[in-house]
Amino acid sequence: MEQYFLAVDIGASSGRHILGRVEKGRMSLEEIYRFPNGMKAVRGQLCWDLEELWGHVKAGMKKCKELGKIPVSMGVDTWAVDYVLLDSQDKIVGNTVGYRDQRTRGMDREVSQVISPKELYRRTGIQKQSFNTIYQFMAVKKNNPEYLTQARTMMMIPDYFHFLLTGKKCQEYTNATTTQLVSPVSNTWDYELIEKLGYPRQWFGELSMPGTLVGGLSKAVEEEVGFSCQVVLPGTHDTASAVAAVPSNEEDILYISSGTWSLMGTERRQADCSRQSRVHNFTNEGGYEHRFRYLKNIMGLWMIQSVKKELAEEGEDYSFGQLCQMAAGEEIKSLVDCNHECFLAPRGMTEAVRKYCRESGQQEPRTAAQLAAVIYRGLAVCYRKTKEELEQVTGKTYRKLHIVGGGANADFLNQLTADETGCPVYAGPTEATAIGNLAVQMIGAGVYGNLKEAREGIFRSFDIKKYEPQV
């Protein structure tokens, strides 16, 4: 009898349900449901519609029943840093505000009055970003202090969905590390830091590792979707799942998890919380089996996604593949710094790109092809600089670069990246986040013995395209 496993992979712009199974050592995937996602304005704040997302989670599960493909287990992964607060009746407290909202402006200064940025990095090893959960909590403390007493439970977004599925509360490790409140030494919450900041200690319970069995579906969910299965924690931070799917067991390789964000780095067994690491703004996020994802967050395909949407609103509706192909034929040399804060949440991405080029004395892109070329070239330069910084900090030379995720389909960007970094690029698999989610479930079920076996299986199962440097 065939064994199916279900990955519910929810990104910042869309989500999907993917069934996976292994036959003769090869993993195969079947996308059975896809749905949109995005932040919505609610009383002046950018928020996630969790009720709508929960409806989609169940709708995709019902599709499994319709197809007669009942999963042995399932797990949910999402983006990082955002969370839900629940009161004593398990009702949501306040808005579920998204990371692009402006409420965290100035909160880094508030936190720095309690702990210096140097000491904070030494204790947590997490890259400073204005939207990290540590600053979101400070915004709550300053603007809605009543929430601190009303809320009894804090869960990251995927933890909340696992709670809705099972009725059981847990806090998964990989996503917890993105709060900037976890110690990379003890691999648990830094309670001394939490108490210094004045955040309720009761919000922070025992952390669970990827592969942990949460439990079966609640009776209500089971009746609604028409089947029962186990819920197993994947790396609930989507990047943790994507990195688990990097199809190599070699040491000292680089990866880019390429999607809305580009997460570029390497895998390490110990965190680097040194001054040099902090100056270069690298992060030590948690990974499978307490590996550390030593990486840098780069704005990524968010810029292309935003421009594509704006072009469609003006009647120019291109696919990502078309934009990439069009960009390859352009000779415009302008570049943008894709990490610049002006691209985080602009009113219009197209105008933000043009303004950046104007103000930096570069040719202003006018056409869709030129806009895409400028963004792709900027991303490739960011990748090169990040590789150089990694080599400087680690003292290692990286000779291979794996790109996983949706960006692995971007031929022009992949070739630019090979040319800029001077090392071969291995692109694929594109569905890395779902694959990593499934792989952890399959390890738990004994389909694979460990992560090494799973990565070998992933390499055999999916097409990997190689790009050699041409300059």
Side-chain angles (χ1 to χ4, degrees):
M1 183 176 176
E2 292 178 324
Q3 277 192 321
Y4 291 96
F5 300 83
L6 177 63
V8 182
D9 173 27
I10 309 177
S13 57
S14 67
R16 61 267 177 89
H17 291 55
I18 293 182
L19 283 171
R21 64 189 179 93
V22 173
E23 186 176 10
K24 296 180 180 179
R26 295 174 64 90
M27 185 190 296
S28 62
L29 306 178
E30 180 182 0
E31 181 181 302
I32 60 168
Y33 187 77
R34 180 175 285 266
F35 54 94
N37 189 25
M39 299 179 203
K40 301 176 181 178
V42 179
R43 295 188 294 277
Q45 291 182 311
L46 290 174
C47 301
W48 300 107
D49 189 338
L50 295 190
E51 184 175 353
E52 182 177 314
L53 289 176
W54 173 230
H56 284 301
V57 170
K58 292 184 290 184
M61 294 170 69
K62 292 174 186 176
K63 191 68 176 177
C64 293
K65 177 65 174 179
E66 290 176 22
L67 295 170
K69 297 177 179 180
I70 307 303
V72 174
S73 67
M74 64 177 294
V76 182
D77 65 78
T78 76
W79 64 97
V81 304
D82 290 338
Y83 62 91
V84 178
L85 296 177
L86 301 180
D87 65 15
S88 59
Q89 303 300 312
D90 293 331
K91 302 299 182 184
I92 294 178
V93 175
N95 294 334
T96 307
V97 184
Y99 62 86
R100 293 191 192 276
D101 187 76
Q102 298 298 309
R103 68 174 176 163
T104 54
R105 279 191 173 179
M107 293 303 116
D108 57 338
R109 292 192 294 275
E110 296 289 340
V111 168
S112 69
Q113 292 178 12
V114 178
I115 182 170
S116 71
K118 292 180 181 178
E119 178 64 10
L120 181 59
Y121 189 85
R122 187 192 68 79
R123 293 183 75 126
T124 67
I126 296 298
Q127 173 186 17
K128 180 184 176 182
Q129 297 179 113
S130 62
F131 49 72
N132 285 353
T133 322
I134 189 174
Y135 304 119
Q136 294 195 42
F137 287 160
M138 184 58 70
V140 170
K141 182 179 175 182
K142 292 295 179 182
N143 301 323
N144 302 99
E146 68 277 14
Y147 293 174
L148 301 186
T149 53
Q150 292 173 15
R152 296 289 186 270
T153 305
M154 184 281 297
M155 285 184 284
M156 306 302 281
I157 299 294
D159 294 334
Y160 178 62
F161 288 126
H162 289 141
F163 166 63
L164 293 179
L165 287 166
T166 65
K168 298 179 181 178
K169 297 175 181 178
C170 61
Q171 294 177 313
E172 190 270 337
Y173 166 74
T174 68
N175 219 333
T177 64
T178 71
T179 64
Q180 209 169 359
L181 292 167
V182 171
S183 165
V185 177
S186 67
N187 292 316
T188 191
W189 300 110
D190 186 332
Y191 287 107
E192 182 180 357
L193 172 61
I194 288 165
E195 290 175 357
K196 275 186 176 183
L197 292 165
Y199 304 154
R201 184 185 174 104
Q202 66 182 0
W203 289 2
F204 307 94
E206 182 180 354
L207 295 182
S208 299
M209 293 300 296
T212 298
L213 174 63
V214 182
L217 299 180
S218 70
K219 184 63 69 176
V221 172
E222 184 179 323
E223 290 176 355
E224 183 171 356
V225 302
F227 65 86
S228 63
C229 71
Q230 297 298 308
V231 175
V232 174
L233 294 181
T236 64
H237 181 197
D238 50 13
T239 308
S241 280
V243 171
V246 172
S248 174
N249 286 304
E250 295 181 51
E251 294 186 2
D252 300 337
I253 60 166
L254 292 182
Y255 59 76
I256 300 174
S257 176
S258 180
T260 300
W261 290 87
S262 288
L263 298 309
M264 182 174 183
T266 189
E267 197 170 59
R268 309 184 79 180
R269 284 295 186 173
Q270 289 187 315
D272 182 348
C273 302
S274 67
R275 177 186 176 280
Q276 186 182 28
S277 181
R278 177 181 64 82
V279 167
H280 286 291
N281 209 25
F282 283 103
T283 199
N284 296 270
E285 294 175 354
Y288 184 74
E289 291 182 333
H290 291 126
R291 292 168 167 84
F292 288 95
R293 294 174 284 124
Y294 189 64
L295 57 82
K296 178 171 286 191
N297 287 275
I298 300 168
M299 200 71 73
L301 298 180
W302 155 251
M303 297 178 70
I304 286 287
Q305 292 167 353
S306 299
V307 167
K308 178 182 180 296
K309 181 180 178 181
E310 291 165 14
L311 288 168
E313 291 170 351
E314 296 174 3
E316 295 185 72
D317 197 0
Y318 301 106
S319 69
F320 290 114
Q322 287 173 320
L323 283 173
C324 200
Q325 189 174 18
M326 290 158 56
E330 285 294 329
E331 296 183 0
I332 187 169
K333 301 301 182 186
S334 302
L335 296 170
V336 290
D337 177 1
C338 296
N339 286 325
H340 197 285
E341 62 180 9
C342 69
F343 300 123
L344 180 62
R347 291 185 177 179
M349 186 64 74
T350 300
E351 177 53 31
V353 171
R354 288 171 175 164
K355 181 180 178 183
Y356 184 96
C357 291
R358 283 197 306 270
E359 294 182 351
S360 58
Q362 302 180 86
Q363 179 184 344
E364 186 177 337
R366 303 308 310 174
T367 66
Q370 288 179 340
L371 283 162
V374 166
I375 293 170
Y376 283 132
R377 292 184 189 280
L379 275 172
V381 169
C382 280
Y383 297 161
R384 171 178 55 80
K385 291 179 177 178
T386 300
K387 175 179 179 284
E388 292 170 351
E389 290 174 353
L390 275 164
E391 290 179 334
Q392 181 181 343
V393 172
T394 64
K396 296 179 178 179
T397 300
Y398 298 101
R399 305 188 187 281
K400 290 183 179 180
L401 173 58
H402 283 265
I403 297 180
V404 298
N409 283 328
D411 282 331
F412 179 54
L413 176 57
N414 294 339
Q415 188 59 59
L416 284 175
T417 302
D419 295 343
E420 282 287 338
T421 61
C423 64
V425 166
Y426 297 83
T430 56
E431 299 289 358
T433 301
I435 292 168
N437 180 325
L438 294 167
V440 169
Q441 295 183 55
M442 290 172 177
I443 292 170
V447 176
Y448 295 119
N450 50 40
L451 184 61
K452 181 177 183 292
E453 282 187 21
R455 283 175 164 167
E456 289 170 352
I458 292 166
F459 180 80
R460 291 192 303 268
S461 301
F462 302 99
D463 292 334
I464 312 295
K465 187 173 180 179
K466 185 178 181 180
Y467 298 81
E468 291 282 4
Q470 294 180 355
V471 293

